[in-house]
Amino acid sequence: MAENAIDAGKKKNQKTAEDFTYIGMVLHRLTRHKLAMAGAFMLIAIFLFVFVGPLIWRIDPNLQIESLEGLLNPASAAHPLGTDDYGRDVLARMFFGGRISLFIGFVSAITAALVGTLVGLVAGYYGGWADNILMRFTDAMLSIPTFPLLIALASILGKGIWQLIMVIVVFGWMVDARLVRGMVLSLKEQEYVEAARAIGASANRIMWKHLFPNTLAVLIVSTTIGIGGSIIYEASISFLGFGVQAPFASWGNMLQNAQQYIWTAPSLIIYPGLAIFMTVLGFNFFGDGLRDAIDPKLKL
Amino acid sequence: MRDYIIRRILGMIPLILIVMIVSFGIFSLVPNPFAALTENPRIKRADVERLKHAWGFDLPWHLRFFRWFGGVVRGDWGPSLLFPGSTAREVIGRALPITMRVMGLEFLLALIIALPIGILSAVKQYSITDYIVTVISFFGMSMPTFWFGLLMMMFFSVLLKRPSGMPLLPAGGLMTPGLEDAPFFVKFGDRLQYLVMPVAVLAFNSIGGWTRYMRTSMLEVIRQDYIRTARAKGVPERFVINRHALRNALIPIVTLVALSAPIVVGGAAITETIFTIPGMGSLIIQAQIKADYPTAMIALMLSSILVIVFNLVADIVYAWIDPRIKYS
């Protein structure tokens, strides 16, 4: 009796693996991952900056000061981060540029993951010639240098936020396709899939209800890291002038003209770049921790 | 093994075809490469039509593809629009050695730095060293190259000056004009100054990823039984790492190196653009902006084919150095 009581007391204080659900276990490991937590805090700070900032700092990001004294001002009380080459408030543009950069990052990374999942599921589940054709196409797309084609496609589709998202998706789905295909190849041999097939589940149902949920954890990790990559792509394309166009701000196109003012207004380079760097770093830290929490042996 | 290589080489053919069709398709969708010419009142309409005919732009796209394909196979890569009077082949011939110099240096530097750091980080897992290395490699991976390039430029070309008032490092280009006939060592030193910043920017980016890769690979090997056996036998730790573990840990790195090698030819578009280096990367971007589609397509195709070839090389080398891998 006494021993049982001691055991029960121990159990109250110490949680064993059985006490956790899968998500609880992942969260438990994640909160103990220092870099992941650092990443999470960085991302929270950036989200607050971008979404709460404009509620406090109510200045039109596209308002231009129509006088020479208003251009390229250093930091002051009226403009905490100074003004740019059109006399616009840099702080306000940082908020709205951040919204657009994050929006493009999220939407394009998630869409690319969905396209990749679809290709990977079909190729892995059906196998045979479908697999062959889809995977050769994936290989070919992977071997083309992305960046020049991104720019070519951007100049065909026209310049705009949705076009930019489409361009990033077209060249961003391949890694996820390979990843999902690899997992499906081993998953589809397991008994539960055979059981589902035996009771007459359709291929569609097996793919989306049985196989897809089992690839989800890995997909979330790769998408988290993918968002960071998409933000860099957006910034690079906009930096070269093919992406988000004026009057809209994005962190990338804020840097576009900044190179000319490297001697006169270096702060124009520092802030948007720092924001991109911190965001991508946050997603990379968090994604790395998430991977360790889900499956430390996972290769991504 | 021989059959495997033959099959893989045959398998490359459809891959290269797809690459050619995709890159041609995207470039042939470019609205109208002659738009600027048509708008220019000093160019006669008939001349534009003649140019269109000469480049086959009056044909439907699939016929144009075969025409272009035939030209590529025969080594006739078409004229360059970006540099009138030169062929695409000459333009690429000029850009290629420049890119190979910059990227080759970057590649070697990154490798020399990343591998030892990655090993150190794995051997001392969870130590302070490991944490610092991890954080710095994440910095390298997350830093947008154009921003890092601009920061370097701000620091070394704007902020820091030599006693003579010149910037410490030149902000861009390849060499100081007027030094073409200088003695070898002067020329060499001069060119080296121009390489410091672009090479450092690119290397930092590569080092980030490669260090992580080396670390993961080493950690996986260290956990294995034969390492424990070696330690149990009393082999000094130095030998356990350098002799027993390193050999197997380097196998995945060989693949990584082979897969990354094509950038030595493809170049880095953004870094080359920022530092005004006339290499392959900036050539492709410029050719696109100026609708110089013969040059852009050939440059793109060259780098794609290299990627495919090096993929094969990676697999073959992998099979050759690791006897555990069987190909049937």
Side-chain angles (χ1 to χ4, degrees):
Chain A
M1 278 302 279
E3 272 171 24
N4 278 349
I6 292 169
D7 274 353
K10 259 189 195 164
K11 224 176 177 182
K12 235 178 228 166
N13 298 324
Q14 251 181 347
K15 285 191 165 185
T16 62
E18 290 147 28
D19 294 332
F20 288 110
T21 58
Y22 177 67
I23 290 173
M25 189 177 68
V26 168
L27 278 178
H28 180 81
R29 287 199 212 132
L30 193 61
T31 47
R32 263 149 199 75
H33 197 288
K34 282 178 201 149
L35 286 183
M37 285 301 101
F41 280 120
M42 282 157 69
L43 291 179
I44 291 170
I46 283 161
F47 273 90
L48 286 178
F49 175 77
V50 164
F51 289 101
V52 180
L55 303 178
I56 301 162
W57 187 250
R58 293 164 183 276
I59 281 196
D60 180 3
N62 298 325
L63 183 73
Q64 304 181 6
I65 300 171
E66 303 286 346
S67 74
L68 275 178
E69 295 91 69
L71 308 185
L72 298 171
N73 274 354
S76 64
H79 303 287
L81 299 183
T83 58
D84 68 2
D85 47 329
Y86 285 94
R88 296 171 296 200
D89 184 62
V90 173
L91 182 61
R93 288 186 79 70
M94 287 287 291
F95 295 141
F96 287 91
R99 287 184 180 188
I100 289 184
S101 290
L102 285 174
F103 176 75
I104 292 176
F106 268 92
V107 174
S108 52
I110 291 169
T111 318
L114 283 178
V115 174
T117 307
L118 186 66
V119 172
L121 278 177
V122 170
Y125 184 72
Y126 286 108
W129 61 266
D131 183 32
N132 239 321
I133 290 178
L134 285 173
M135 281 303 118
R136 282 301 82 72
F137 185 61
T138 309
D139 288 347
M141 290 297 282
L142 270 173
S143 55
I144 302 175
T146 320
F147 204 71
L149 278 194
L150 278 176
I151 287 171
L153 206 56
S155 56
I156 295 166
L157 292 175
K159 295 162 177 176
I161 292 167
W162 290 106
Q163 285 91 330
L164 190 56
I165 289 174
M166 207 171 125
V167 167
I168 298 176
V169 170
V170 167
F171 291 101
W173 55 271
M174 291 86 77
V175 175
D176 285 326
R178 274 193 175 176
L179 210 62
V180 171
R181 174 183 172 267
M183 285 187 286
V184 167
L185 280 184
S186 68
L187 285 173
K188 74 171 180 182
E189 300 300 329
Q190 292 190 11
E191 278 101 355
Y192 76 92
V193 176
E194 209 181 325
R197 216 178 286 146
I199 58 168
S202 67
N204 229 346
R205 189 186 165 83
I206 293 177
M207 278 194 279
W208 291 104
K209 286 255 162 149
H210 298 280
L211 296 174
F212 175 63
N214 281 304
T215 63
L216 202 55
V218 175
L219 271 174
I220 289 173
V221 176
S222 104
T223 309
T224 310
I225 298 171
I227 294 170
S230 299
I231 289 175
I232 287 204
Y233 269 142
E234 180 277 318
S236 312
I237 299 170
S238 298
F239 173 68
L240 289 176
F242 293 94
V244 178
Q245 300 293 311
F248 293 111
S250 88
W251 286 338
N253 81 1
M254 287 175 77
L255 281 165
Q256 192 189 336
N257 291 327
Q259 194 173 0
Q260 297 164 22
Y261 304 105
I262 190 167
W263 278 272
T264 46
S267 65
L268 287 184
I269 290 174
I270 293 173
Y271 299 124
L274 191 67
I276 298 169
F277 173 55
M278 295 297 278
T279 314
V280 178
L281 192 64
F283 278 114
N284 277 341
F285 275 161
F286 191 68
D288 191 62
L290 205 57
R291 185 201 46 210
D292 284 353
I294 284 172
D295 179 5
K297 282 189 204 135
L298 201 65
K299 276 186 192 161
L300 264 180
Chain B
M1 187 72 189
R2 200 195 64 208
D3 291 351
Y4 171 75
I5 293 175
I6 293 172
R7 210 176 57 232
R8 282 295 304 266
I9 289 176
L10 289 179
M12 272 164 53
I13 295 169
L15 218 57
I16 290 175
L17 269 178
I18 297 176
V19 165
M20 285 178 87
I21 291 171
V22 169
S23 40
F24 178 86
I26 285 180
F27 282 108
S28 69
L29 286 174
V30 169
N32 182 5
F34 300 96
L37 293 179
T38 327
E39 277 165 18
N40 191 335
R42 289 199 297 190
I43 298 175
K44 282 194 211 113
R45 184 117 209 144
D47 286 339
V48 177
E49 291 304 319
R50 199 166 45 80
L51 273 176
K52 269 192 184 174
H53 181 71
W55 289 342
F57 263 88
D58 47 355
L59 300 171
W61 70 270
H62 54 276
L63 289 180
R64 210 161 72 226
F65 175 74
F66 285 117
R67 203 182 141 137
W68 174 73
F69 185 82
V72 170
V73 174
R74 274 182 277 118
D76 167 21
W77 295 352
S80 163
L81 290 162
L82 192 60
F83 299 96
S86 309
T87 62
R89 200 177 173 151
E90 288 162 355
V91 172
I92 286 171
R94 280 199 292 270
L96 199 56
I98 297 169
T99 285
M100 284 175 81
R101 192 164 65 211
V102 178
M103 300 306 286
L105 208 60
E106 180 265 332
F107 203 73
L108 284 181
L109 186 74
L111 215 54
I112 290 170
I113 296 176
L115 297 193
I117 292 182
I119 295 167
L120 187 76
S121 176
V123 172
K124 305 196 170 188
Q125 196 188 9
Y126 301 134
S127 68
I128 295 286
T129 322
D130 184 28
Y131 265 107
I132 293 172
V133 169
T134 302
V135 169
I136 291 178
S137 19
F138 270 105
F139 275 27
M141 284 191 282
S142 314
M143 189 83 90
T145 47
F146 55 92
W147 186 56
F148 191 40
L150 290 176
L151 281 187
M152 292 272 279
M153 220 187 264
M154 238 159 76
F155 197 67
F156 290 108
S157 303
V158 180
L159 225 57
L160 296 181
K161 301 261 192 227
R162 296 183 196 189
S164 62
M166 290 289 282
L168 186 64
L169 288 173
L174 278 179
M175 53 184 291
T176 314
L179 276 181
E180 285 84 359
D181 298 320
F184 175 75
F185 283 110
V186 178
K187 232 161 79 178
F188 183 77
D190 178 59
R191 293 193 171 189
L192 212 56
Q193 289 174 19
Y194 285 87
L195 286 178
V196 173
M197 281 200 289
V199 167
V201 167
L202 291 167
F204 189 45
N205 194 255
S206 310
I207 288 170
W210 291 0
T211 306
R212 293 293 293 164
Y213 207 83
M214 183 73 233
R215 178 179 179 272
T216 317
S217 171
M218 193 72 184
L219 280 178
E220 221 156 81
V221 173
I222 285 180
R223 280 194 214 111
Q224 287 178 15
D225 287 341
Y226 79 94
I227 296 295
R228 193 179 303 133
T229 313
R231 284 193 181 130
K233 279 196 304 189
V235 178
E237 185 65 18
R238 198 157 41 93
F239 286 112
V240 173
I241 300 299
N242 292 341
R243 293 265 171 85
H244 298 243
L246 189 60
R247 285 188 175 192
N248 279 328
L250 279 179
I251 292 174
I253 302 297
V254 172
T255 320
L256 182 73
V257 167
L259 291 182
S260 320
I263 57 155
V264 174
V265 167
I270 292 183
T271 313
E272 286 179 8
T273 306
I274 290 176
F275 291 106
T276 52
I277 297 169
M280 290 287 280
S282 57
L283 176 70
I284 295 182
I285 305 286
Q286 272 180 29
Q288 279 175 357
I289 294 172
K290 296 272 152 64
D292 179 0
Y293 100 112
T295 311
M297 271 184 343
I298 291 291
L300 203 63
M301 232 188 55
L302 275 184
S303 9
S304 319
I305 290 175
L306 268 174
V307 174
I308 295 171
V309 170
F310 271 93
N311 259 310
L312 178 65
V313 171
D315 284 353
I316 291 173
V317 172
Y318 200 69
W320 176 59
I321 55 176
D322 189 348
R324 288 171 299 184
I325 294 170
K326 292 256 190 315
Y327 289 101
S328 49

